[in-house]
Amino acid sequence: VAALNSAGRRTLMCGDGTNDVGALKQAHIGVSIVSVPELEKKQRSADEEIDAVRAEEKRERKAAKKKKKKGEKSDISRKFRRSAPTFIFFTVLPYMFQIIFFGNLNKFAFIQVQNQIHRSVRIHELFDHDAHLTALASDGATAPGLYANSMDTVVATAYDMFNRKLFSLPKLILLPSIVARQPMLLVKIFPFIFLTDMLKGRIVASV
């Protein structure tokens, strides 16, 4: 420091001990670092408060993350809700359109068959035999409309029976696997099925 002063330089000395006193005195500017217990205590207290706040924030973030993860696991329907629109648009709606289309096509085919039977019975069978015309001309003959109603009843009943059996075929295909898994189930429900089918047959026959 003395050499720098002799060279005409401006000097600054910073020291924190008694061995630096001479240099601090020789320098143009001397900065002495002293230890103040009260300031150090306040600094340590502030540091501890900052560390406590940081630790609390860390615990809160960890707890929130754990709660969110637990909530995602407990919400079982979340995955279903996300997939519901896709399922509706690509599965339910096409299935509904198929049901409507094939239902109308089935009804149209039924009406065509019904009309064909009417034409076969009321036109061909009637006009091919003169005796039928003579019978219809008599006063006690049954009106053609009654014959038509009877034909409609027979056709509709036969169609309903065939339609129900056809649509129950997939269920019958699944029956063997169900019986193999729960054989006692067939023993329990078979009498009920037999009884309901017998009652249904009698009701249909009486109508």
Side-chain angles (χ1 to χ4, degrees), residues 18-29:
T18 55
N19 58 334
D20 299 323
V21 173
L24 290 172
K25 188 176 179 181
Q26 290 290 331
H28 292 93
I29 300 173

Side-chain angles (χ1 to χ4, degrees), residues 6 51 54 66-67 93 103 116 145 147 149 166 178 201:
S6 300
D51 292 338
R54 289 177 177 175
K66 186 176 180 181
K67 185 177 180 181
L93 291 180
Q116 183 64 30
Y147 286 114
N149 292 334
L166 183 63
I178 297 175

Side-chain angles (χ1 to χ4, degrees), residues 3-61:
L4 291 172
N5 290 338
S6 300
R9 301 292 184 89
R10 292 290 179 178
T11 57
L12 182 146
M13 177 61 188
C14 180
D16 61 350
T18 55
N19 58 334
D20 299 323
V21 173
L24 290 172
K25 188 176 179 181
Q26 290 290 331
H28 292 93
I29 300 173
V31 178
S32 178
I33 299 175
V34 294
S35 176
V36 181
E38 294 181 358
L39 293 177
E40 293 179 356
K41 186 176 180 181
K42 290 181 180 180
Q43 184 64 36
R44 285 196 301 269
S45 178
D47 292 340
E48 290 175 357
E49 290 180 0
I50 293 173
D51 292 338
V53 171
R54 289 177 177 175
E56 184 66 23
E57 290 178 352
K58 187 176 181 180
R59 283 195 297 269
E60 290 179 356
R61 288 195 300 268

Side-chain angles (χ1 to χ4, degrees), residues 9-132:
R9 301 292 184 89
R10 292 290 179 178
T11 57
L12 182 146
M13 177 61 188
C14 180
D16 61 350
T18 55
N19 58 334
D20 299 323
V21 173
L24 290 172
K25 188 176 179 181
Q26 290 290 331
H28 292 93
I29 300 173
V31 178
S32 178
I33 299 175
V34 294
S35 176
V36 181
E38 294 181 358
L39 293 177
E40 293 179 356
K41 186 176 180 181
K42 290 181 180 180
Q43 184 64 36
R44 285 196 301 269
S45 178
D47 292 340
E48 290 175 357
E49 290 180 0
I50 293 173
D51 292 338
V53 171
R54 289 177 177 175
E56 184 66 23
E57 290 178 352
K58 187 176 181 180
R59 283 195 297 269
E60 290 179 356
R61 288 195 300 268
K62 189 175 181 180
K65 187 177 181 180
K66 186 176 180 181
K67 185 177 180 181
K68 183 179 179 181
K69 190 174 181 180
K70 185 178 179 181
E72 290 177 355
K73 288 183 179 179
S74 61
D75 191 3
I76 303 175
S77 64
R78 185 176 183 181
K79 185 177 181 180
F80 173 77
R81 292 197 306 269
R82 288 182 176 178
S83 61
T86 304
F87 176 76
I88 291 173
F89 282 108
F90 292 100
T91 304
V92 176
L93 291 180
Y95 177 75
M96 290 177 59
F97 292 145
Q98 288 181 5
I99 289 293
I100 295 172
F101 173 76
F102 287 109
N104 291 330
L105 184 64
N106 194 12
K107 187 66 175 179
F108 175 77
F110 168 73
I111 294 174
Q112 294 297 318
V113 172
Q114 190 179 36
N115 292 337
Q116 183 64 30
I117 294 174
H118 274 275
R119 286 192 295 269
S120 177
V121 174
R122 300 180 66 177
I123 297 177
H124 301 293
E125 293 294 332
L126 183 63
F127 290 103
D128 287 346
H129 304 280
D130 294 337
H132 294 171

Side-chain angles (χ1 to χ4, degrees), residues 95-197:
Y95 177 75
M96 290 177 59
F97 292 145
Q98 288 181 5
I99 289 293
I100 295 172
F101 173 76
F102 287 109
N104 291 330
L105 184 64
N106 194 12
K107 187 66 175 179
F108 175 77
F110 168 73
I111 294 174
Q112 294 297 318
V113 172
Q114 190 179 36
N115 292 337
Q116 183 64 30
I117 294 174
H118 274 275
R119 286 192 295 269
S120 177
V121 174
R122 300 180 66 177
I123 297 177
H124 301 293
E125 293 294 332
L126 183 63
F127 290 103
D128 287 346
H129 304 280
D130 294 337
H132 294 171
L133 294 174
T134 303
L136 287 173
S138 63
D139 295 334
T142 303
L146 296 178
Y147 286 114
N149 292 334
S150 298
M151 284 188 291
D152 289 342
T153 302
V154 172
V155 174
T157 303
Y159 168 77
D160 290 337
M161 292 176 62
F162 178 77
N163 200 23
R164 285 197 298 269
K165 297 302 180 183
L166 183 63
F167 279 98
S168 63
L169 185 60
K171 300 177 183 178
L172 294 176
I173 295 175
L174 295 175
L175 187 60
S177 61
I178 297 175
V179 174
R181 292 180 180 178
Q182 297 182 356
M184 294 303 298
L185 182 64
L186 181 64
V187 177
K188 293 178 181 179
I189 67 173
F190 182 76
F192 177 74
I193 296 175
F194 181 77
L195 181 62
T196 53
D197 284 345

